[in-house]
Amino acid sequence: MDNQQKKHGALLKFVPRPDRPPITITYGPVGWLKKNLFGNLWNSLLTITVFFLLFLLLKPFLEWTLFKAVWSASTRRECLSISPDGACWAGIFPWVNNLLYGLYPDALQWRVNLAFAIGLLWFVPLALKKVQQKILFALMGVMLFPFLANYLFLGGDRSSVHYIVACSALAYLLTLYINIILTYLNGKRLEQHLETFMERFSKKRAALLGHSTIWFFLTVVIAYVFKDQALEHVGVDAWGGLFLTLIISGVSIVMALPIGIILALGRRSEMPIIKWFSISTIEVVRSVPMITVLFMSVTMLPLFFPNTMELNKLVQVLVAVCLFAGAYMAETVRGGLQAISRGQYDAAKSLGLGYWRTMIFIILPQALRIMIPNIVTSFISLFKDTTLVSIIGLFDIMLMARNISIDKNWLGLHTEPLVAISVLFFVFCYSMSEYSQRLEKKLNTNR
Amino acid sequence: MELPFGFDFISSTAGFDIGWSIIPYEPTMSYGRVYLVGIFNTLILSALIILFATISGFVVGIIRLSRNFLLSQCARWYVEFIRNIPLLIQIIFWFIVVFSTLPPPKESYHLLDIFFLNNRGFYFPSPVFESNASWTLITTLIAGIGSFILIKKSRAYRKLSGNRLAALYPTLLALLSVIIIVFIATGTPLHWKIPTLQGFNFQDGYFFPTAFAAAFVSMTIYRSATIGEMVRAGIQSIDRGQLEAAAAIGFSPFKTLRLIIVPQAARAILPPLINIWLTILKESSLAVAIGFPELVSVFIQTSLNQTGRAIEIVMMVMFFYMCTSLLISFVMNRYNKRIQMQEG
């Protein structure tokens, strides 16, 4: 070793390597800028160009919407005299009421608000952790709430059955909330308090009996309390605006799932008649535009009913939209059904479960769980598609917005209402799609 | 209003005028002709939308994947804004706010005095074929078939021998030169009729009415956003390993794109793309809202109001949409099967 070193001593002179280039900063705001915007010459040039274009585009837009906009004026002429090249948002404000409720009388709009508040209350517990049997009360909500809502929206002399169902819906909601409060207070539900008493009548179903007794009792009380409260009749013609849009999309969203499940199961059925009926329904509805289904419902449905019977347009539209949404949902559900492995069916069969039990307890819960993001996506597109009802003359938010330009004070005010409802739709749809994406991530991590 | 079921109304005179049609139409013609006019108007509208939306959709999708943060965020918000606002609102916005506020014909915007845009529509030159033009057409057809056979042969040769035989570019060159020679030899039998302002309106040339332009622009934009999102998903679905493998065996970026990315992305993109094309065909019926004379407008609205034959007319319209949808999906599914991965 030592000898070798001496021999080559002359050769082993220390020669420093050239310096390494300085480390490019890849952290912090500067690093981020370097990496994402100014990585190389081409990238920097691109960034500057895009920035410039964006500036050119956004400046007039912001000026129009905000800086030069008129927020209070009594007519469009006044708007134009204040600022000729700004938006005239003043025209929207007197119409906000109509945009939200259509021609629903001002004094009775509390009914709409009340119904929507109750609807929201019904679905708040779904987000609470301690609440049990979420599916049950969501299902009850879907079945009972429409009667209550319809009773409130329509008013007038309804049949007593309708009245009692509406009261029972209210009573059910009340029991639900009492139960939730009790669960959070001491962990015992209402029927569990009654259990010892109810066991005298039936040992097995004491809880159910207790619950239904309270429900029945509350129904009677509510029906008695409100029996003199007559609600003024508001015809379907007066419904409109966002209110109508939400009704149509709400009903079709709620109906789409059961119709879709039935059609999807029918399509996979082994009975030829059911199978071919489902296939032809799905394929025909899916291969024609929604507008033709709407026209079909409006022009053809009256032909199949006796002349004396007057169908209202809303019902016809709802039939069409539900059919349409159901056919699309069927394909979504079918996608979920196909993703379930054969083993699940075999396992269910070996446990001795029949067709319906297999479907309800084994297959559908899994299939729907997989398809939740897709279902939300189709809800979003359904919500957007409800604007089509304006073509056949229902006064939804779209047609209401267009009517502003006919108002003699705001003659020719086209752009602002369209922009306003666009923003509204964007907020609704964007938040729904963000929610579905978050849901998708959550479901993926759970698996 | 009790009407017997039957299609006898098809041959009776329609008697109303249609604002714009590609096939000749007079009010004295029959309802059958009206049906055809509607079909052709729908087809030309949706074909143009499909073409342009697909191209711009690919552009949007590729911009969305750009490494430049600003650019990709621009594409992202473009997509989010466009697809979360109902199409009908966009159509009406373009029609009322943009195309109806264009200047009158006398002050119309123009490009090189050939294309004109005003509040009546978009005017562009129309080709005029003389009788000799058929020779050029025949030559084009024969040359096209010939080059197709040649390319097939060269592909078969490559499979057998492993050597590439340049076929595409030489054939294309030969094809073009032959066509041009024939075209000149027969005395250039093609002229363009340029629209000119006469009185209050333009004469000569073709034009698309503003309703068509609004429907076309709005639906192209709307669908470019959806297709862009699909293209992004398709390209992102390619495994990173594929790109690394391509880099490892020394493929250039362009070669990677052509031989690795595009074929695999096409497999993921094509099935949803077919669906979107079908949706566009169906969606083009929304042009009824701004009064463009497409099938739903001329047939379900006008003709149905005049004849009262609800069942027959709705059935005929649905039949057209069904047939076209089934045809497109049949053809495209066959093509799709060919390009999908063949295992085993």
Side-chain angles (χ1 to χ4, degrees), chain A residues 26 76 79 126 163 224 411 416 424 440:
Chain A
T26 52
R76 182 152 189 251
C79 258
L126 285 176
Y163 176 62
Y224 184 75
L411 213 58
E416 288 84 352
L424 192 89
E440 197 168 8

Side-chain angles (χ1 to χ4, degrees), chain A residues 67-225:
Chain A
F67 304 130
K68 288 187 179 172
V70 181
W71 296 90
S72 65
S74 54
T75 60
R76 182 152 189 251
R77 221 170 267 272
E78 202 183 317
C79 258
L80 289 176
S81 67
I82 295 173
S83 159
D85 45 352
C88 181
W89 299 119
I92 309 285
F93 298 124
W95 276 79
V96 163
N97 208 11
N98 289 70
L99 283 177
L100 293 182
Y101 300 100
L103 302 174
Y104 214 86
D106 287 3
L108 302 174
Q109 277 163 10
W110 61 270
R111 275 159 45 182
V112 177
N113 297 338
L114 182 68
F116 276 102
I118 291 175
L120 273 183
L121 275 184
W122 210 298
F123 291 98
V124 163
L126 285 176
L128 296 178
K129 269 195 182 146
K130 274 191 174 179
V131 182
Q132 288 163 344
Q133 296 177 317
K134 280 180 186 168
I135 294 179
L136 177 74
F137 74 69
L139 214 63
M140 289 301 268
V142 167
M143 286 195 313
L144 288 175
F145 178 67
F147 289 96
L148 179 63
N150 192 29
Y151 190 80
L152 281 172
F153 292 153
L154 209 54
D157 287 329
R158 316 306 306 168
S159 65
S160 51
V161 176
H162 193 164
Y163 176 62
I164 287 171
V165 174
C167 286
S168 75
L170 211 55
Y172 187 84
L173 188 66
L174 218 59
T175 57
L176 187 73
Y177 267 84
I178 293 171
N179 268 337
I180 289 169
I181 291 165
L182 285 178
T183 332
Y184 273 89
L185 281 182
N186 57 9
K188 247 180 157 188
R189 293 150 60 87
L190 197 56
E191 54 264 28
Q192 282 164 336
H193 284 286
L194 280 172
E195 215 162 352
T196 42
F197 176 69
M198 283 300 163
E199 271 173 2
R200 289 184 203 173
F201 304 103
S202 161
K203 270 230 156 67
K204 250 186 177 173
R205 305 195 183 277
L208 182 71
L209 207 60
H211 187 248
S212 33
T213 316
I214 298 165
W215 184 15
F216 178 74
F217 178 69
L218 276 176
T219 308
V220 172
V221 170
I222 290 172
Y224 184 75
V225 170

